[in-house]
Amino acid sequence: CTSIVGQDLNGRMYHARNLDFGLFLGWDIKNNTWEITEKLRPTIRILEFQRSGKTLYKTVNYLGYIGVLTGIRPGVFTLTMNERFNIDGGFVGIFEWLLGNHTGQWMSFLTRDTLEQAASYDDAKDRLANTPMLAPAYYILGGTKPGQGCVITRSRQKAIDVWEMSSQPANSWYILETNYDHWKKPMFLDDRRTPANKCMQKLTQKGMGIAGIYDVLSSKPVLNKLTTYTALMQVDSGHLECWLQYCPDPCYPF
Amino acid sequence: SAQVPPFTEKCVQGTYPPDLSRKVPTVIINLDLKPQDRWTHVVKDMKPQIEDLLVAFKSFIRDFGNWTEAIIKLVDNDFGYLADELPAPYGDELKGIATASGLPLGEVVLYNIFYEIFTV
């Protein structure tokens, strides 16, 4: 996955992501595709969660999956989640949970609870950073004000790092996360971070917006054979749009 | 046809908007409904696609050998009880999805906790 929060020259905040899923879940040698990735695409929908006829929050989901990986609370914050691989992973959390320790939250239910209940960017950040969880994760959060963007690196117990958009003077107009701790180098076989950063630099803040960020997320290898969709959000207007993604050959498998 | 890693970028321009056939449609989830009923209209319409996904996943599991059949049976028959242990309203929402789709509750639960299982 690749998630980006950024602001244009007017301080308008954008948040976008590619959702990549299906690695090692069956390679179709005839079509050069991942089997589960192909099956997931037709189930993708934007969901508008409404109460009393008013939209409370919007998400992008694979139907049948009720948690949240991508969502917006209009006018308040935007949120995406990227997978974090760790030996102290969800399997350990589930084992503890089965033994009766229910203190940890399920990752995707925590994001949905946050979208439903958090009243502000700071409130959302606090919930995502400090709620014990069953599995590690990266939460990428965007707010309404310039500079309000962060990547929360989660262990099962707590945030081990909160990386603020405003903390990187050279590129303070955006923050970008793939599937690796930002203070470490990504695995060389799976470095989407460097290409994505280069495309963002080429885009420049002047080009920041729905179309520009879509271009970045459509650039290989940020776009790859695992990419199921690109979601684009603008928090003030509450805008969320989503496009199915395909990666025509030649294309990297992940 | 692809290069050896690390992969270098090919920054594209002017790809937006893509073909409209790729635009993801929107559906409404009414939170005023009981949790069991919130997803019924969506799941009924999308049953073949969800079923197709789960069949593909089970087929992938079966490729590992006959012993995996026992795991699939365990999920189908015994995993459903976990729905009662999940926080409200999620357990009831999953039961509603299983009822509306006709899929085993255990498979619906497994699909929803997939992330926790596979992060290792």
Side-chain angles (χ1 to χ4, degrees):
Chain A
C1 303
T2 305
S3 291
I4 304 169
V5 177
Q7 64 195 52
D8 67 13
L9 288 171
N10 297 317
R12 275 168 69 87
M13 300 298 293
Y14 295 88
H15 190 157
R17 72 100 40 89
N18 273 0
L19 202 145
D20 305 348
F21 190 85
L23 183 63
F24 303 134
L25 295 177
W27 178 254
D28 179 344
I29 49 170
K30 201 167 150 193
N31 297 308
N32 282 349
T33 53
W34 294 101
E35 283 180 33
I36 299 296
T37 307
E38 296 303 300
K39 299 285 183 194
L40 278 169
R41 278 197 200 96
T43 72
I44 298 169
R45 290 291 180 276
I46 292 175
L47 304 179
E48 278 195 33
F49 290 82
Q50 296 187 346
R51 190 164 278 145
S52 306
K54 280 186 75 178
T55 299
L56 208 57
Y57 56 99
K58 301 180 198 176
T59 67
V60 180
N61 278 50
Y62 302 116
L63 286 182
Y65 191 83
I66 62 170
V68 175
L69 306 175
T70 305
I72 179 170
R73 188 164 170 116
V76 186
F77 63 87
T78 50
L79 166 63
T80 55
M81 173 270 161
N82 288 9
E83 184 165 14
R84 180 167 185 252
F85 304 97
N86 197 289
I87 197 70
D88 183 15
F91 207 76
V92 182
I94 287 184
F95 192 66
E96 286 180 2
W97 190 80
L98 287 172
L99 292 176
N101 180 359
H102 289 190
T103 51
Q105 268 260 39
W106 299 85
M107 176 279 298
S108 64
F109 297 158
L110 173 59
T111 46
R112 195 170 142 192
D113 284 348
T114 301
L115 278 167
E116 193 155 335
Q117 296 161 11
S120 66
Y121 170 80
D122 289 326
D123 185 5
K125 187 157 70 169
D126 181 54
R127 287 166 188 261
L128 297 173
N130 296 319
T131 308
M133 293 166 64
L134 294 183
Y138 298 105
Y139 285 124
I140 301 93
L141 190 63
T144 54
K145 295 178 189 149
Q148 279 190 333
C150 67
V151 175
I152 301 166
T153 302
R154 282 296 314 253
S155 70
R156 292 197 299 116
Q157 294 77 23
K158 60 183 171 105
I160 55 172
D161 183 79
V162 179
W163 185 33
E164 302 282 350
M165 192 167 119
S166 50
S167 69
Q168 23 171 21
N171 304 312
S172 59
W173 59 281
Y174 78 92
I175 195 162
L176 189 153
E177 173 61 38
T178 57
N179 299 95
Y180 299 91
D181 296 348
H182 72 87
W183 59 94
K184 294 178 187 165
K185 274 191 172 178
M187 185 168 65
F188 84 104
L189 277 171
D190 183 33
D191 183 7
R192 283 162 285 117
R193 184 201 293 170
T194 308
N197 271 317
K198 284 186 180 170
C199 291
M200 285 299 285
Q201 295 299 322
K202 277 187 189 168
L203 176 69
T204 72
Q205 191 174 11
K206 199 177 164 191
M208 187 62 183
I210 293 286
I213 210 164
Y214 181 83
D215 279 341
V216 172
L217 291 171
S218 300
S219 300
K220 298 170 187 175
V222 185
L223 173 72
N224 58 72
K225 290 283 185 183
L226 290 168
T227 310
T228 55
Y229 70 77
T230 295
L232 306 155
M233 300 181 274
Q234 204 290 310
V235 65
D236 301 307
S237 61
H239 179 73
L240 164 62
E241 64 181 69
C242 183
W243 301 89
L244 300 181
Q245 282 283 23
Y246 301 87
C247 194
D249 288 322
C251 179
Y252 310 108
F254 47 81
Chain B
S1 57
Q3 72 179 92
V4 174
F7 304 131
T8 45
E9 70 284 353
K10 288 179 185 140
C11 301
V12 295
Q13 284 183 313
T15 58
Y16 184 89
D19 189 287
L20 275 179
S21 64
R22 287 165 49 191
K23 195 170 174 85
V24 172
T26 300
V27 291
I28 307 290
I29 303 295
N30 184 355
L31 293 171
D32 294 323
L33 294 176
K34 284 190 291 182
Q36 292 93 327
D37 300 330
R38 288 174 185 170
W39 299 86
T40 304
H41 63 297
V42 184
V43 171
K44 272 192 174 159
D45 291 346
M46 295 291 294
K47 187 186 169 188
Q49 289 89 335
I50 298 171
E51 216 163 31
D52 202 22
L53 172 68
L54 291 172
V55 166
F57 187 69
K58 280 196 274 190
S59 159
F60 169 72
I61 298 281
R62 285 191 176 105
D63 285 345
F64 285 89
N66 289 337
W67 61 274
T68 56
E69 202 59 44
I71 294 179
I72 292 169
K73 274 189 184 152
L74 178 80
V75 169
D76 284 356
N77 300 331
D78 301 319
F79 235 60
Y81 88 94
L82 287 177
D84 289 325
E85 303 289 321
L86 294 174
Y90 304 119
D92 286 337
E93 288 189 10
L94 294 182
K95 286 179 190 172
I97 288 173
T99 304
S101 65
L103 293 166
L105 179 58
E107 288 184 19
V108 176
V109 170
L110 180 69
Y111 183 45
N112 276 273
I113 61 171
F114 200 79
Y115 177 77
E116 273 77 11
I117 292 176
F118 283 89
T119 40
V120 80

